[in-house]
Amino acid sequence: MEFAIEIKNLVKKYQNKTAVDDVSFSVKRGEFFGFLGPNGAGKTSTINALTGIGQFQGGEIKVFGFDVVKDYREARRKIGLSPQEFNIDAFVSPRDTLYYVGGFFGMPKKERVKRADSVLRELGFGHEADLPFRALSGGFKRRVMLARAMMHNPDILILDEPTAGADVELRHGLWKILSDLNKKGKTILLTTHYLEEAERLCDRIGIIYNGKLVALESKHELIKDGKSIEEHYLNLTTNGATQ
Ligand SMILES: Nc1ncnc2c1ncn2[C@@H]1O[C@H](COP(=O)(O)OP(=O)(O)O)[C@@H](O)[C@H]1O
Ligand SMILES: [Mg+2]
């Protein structure tokens, strides 16, 4: 079986705080993986290690067999990241943001223009594609983050709270987009606080709490006792669960 992501014994520390404590899990090619946990559990720290943004103190991470430290360039190319916080220039339009990213990944101009057009269309942009980022609605701002992650056509999308703060209608729109992308073959790792979202979209779920992985199961396995994901989540992420 081919793994898109393999994380083995990951340890991430900030000074004396251990944010990720010996975490291991894999994501299969084509899988929709939900990475859940309360604020401060270690999700973003894991994602930073996986995408080469942050260094880590222990363990090994491979992306389609490429080591994220030793084979950084190859590993990074396989991944499109939509980070938790908006980090897009407020005065730049979605289209120009995509051109810039295309340039970063070494796409020739013609290809950049074509690819940006196709991604913008796929994500439902019309005239919004040419407005400055700051003039966009919250939903389109989130879509710009997703479009930017998709621009170099990576096999894996890492989406760190892509629907945070979105209203119900907008969230449903994003669900449709994400589920279509997964059907077209993208491997997706998603973090979210909306458990309904995880229940709807994800094949398999990992729950992290206090830096430790406290659950790693298929969605169906997790809920086969008749309890909802939310009930399991609350049982696993309240004090004492890891002792
Ligand atoms: N740059 C940093 N410096 C110090 N501590 C950090 C830093 N980033 C995260 N942390 C701490 O690491 C822990 C995990 O944070 P994070 O990975 O952001 O969790 P999550 O994404 O699950 O909310 C938290 O206790 C957080 O306060
Ligand atoms: Mg986070």
Side-chain angles (χ1 to χ4, degrees), residues 38-45 47 84-85 160-161 191 193:
N39 284 330
K43 302 180 297 296
T44 298
S45 298
I47 286 174
Q84 185 174 344
E85 309 290 342
D160 199 355
E161 301 194 26
T191 83
H193 288 295

Side-chain angles (χ1 to χ4, degrees), residues 167-186:
D167 66 27
V168 175
E169 192 185 340
L170 204 153
R171 194 169 302 137
H172 278 260
L174 277 160
W175 289 349
K176 169 88 173 74
I177 289 171
L178 297 183
S179 131
D180 285 348
L181 284 167
N182 180 241
K183 280 190 200 122
K184 284 186 213 156
K186 299 284 184 211

Side-chain angles (χ1 to χ4, degrees), residues 5 7 45-52 61-63 68 79 158 189:
I5 300 169
I7 299 179
S45 298
T46 302
I47 286 174
N48 287 349
L50 168 62
T51 52
I61 308 179
K62 285 188 175 164
V63 172
V68 299
I79 292 177
I158 310 276
L189 184 150

Side-chain angles (χ1 to χ4, degrees), residues 23-210:
V23 162
S24 303
F25 67 91
S26 301
V27 178
K28 292 171 214 156
R29 179 194 275 272
E31 195 167 41
F32 205 135
F33 187 86
F35 192 37
L36 310 180
N39 284 330
K43 302 180 297 296
T44 298
S45 298
T46 302
I47 286 174
N48 287 349
L50 168 62
T51 52
I53 291 171
Q55 293 183 327
F56 48 96
Q57 285 67 41
E60 187 185 58
I61 308 179
K62 285 188 175 164
V63 172
F64 285 110
F66 293 112
D67 186 288
V68 299
V69 178
K70 285 194 231 83
D71 315 311
Y72 170 74
R73 282 175 156 271
E74 292 87 345
R76 190 62 187 82
R77 254 182 193 282
K78 298 274 178 202
I79 292 177
L81 169 69
S82 169
Q84 185 174 344
E85 309 290 342
F86 288 127
N87 59 350
I88 295 204
D89 191 320
F91 298 95
V92 175
S93 71
R95 194 183 305 279
D96 284 341
T97 299
L98 296 193
Y99 288 167
Y100 178 80
V101 174
F104 177 81
F105 280 99
M107 282 182 199
K109 188 165 179 221
K110 230 172 139 182
E111 190 188 330
R112 234 154 46 200
V113 169
K114 216 171 130 194
R115 176 71 188 153
D117 237 15
S118 122
V119 171
L120 289 165
R121 213 168 328 113
E122 189 170 3
L123 296 189
F125 283 84
H127 72 286
E128 297 87 356
D130 299 294
L131 295 176
F133 184 75
R134 64 174 186 166
L136 299 173
S137 66
F140 272 100
K141 282 185 174 149
R142 283 282 162 206
R143 284 185 205 199
V144 177
M145 306 274 284
L146 183 58
R148 186 182 56 177
M150 288 165 60
M151 181 65 184
H152 65 293
N153 201 11
D155 295 317
I156 306 174
L157 291 170
I158 310 276
L159 312 173
D160 199 355
E161 301 194 26
T163 58
D167 66 27
V168 175
E169 192 185 340
L170 204 153
R171 194 169 302 137
H172 278 260
L174 277 160
W175 289 349
K176 169 88 173 74
I177 289 171
L178 297 183
S179 131
D180 285 348
L181 284 167
N182 180 241
K183 280 190 200 122
K184 284 186 213 156
K186 299 284 184 211
T187 304
I188 300 182
L189 184 150
L190 166 95
T191 83
T192 181
H193 288 295
Y194 303 103
L195 298 175
E196 186 201 344
E197 183 168 303
E199 189 150 357
R200 213 173 250 248
L201 296 173
C202 299
D203 305 315
R204 216 150 51 90
I205 285 175
I207 301 177
I208 186 170
Y209 178 61
N210 270 346

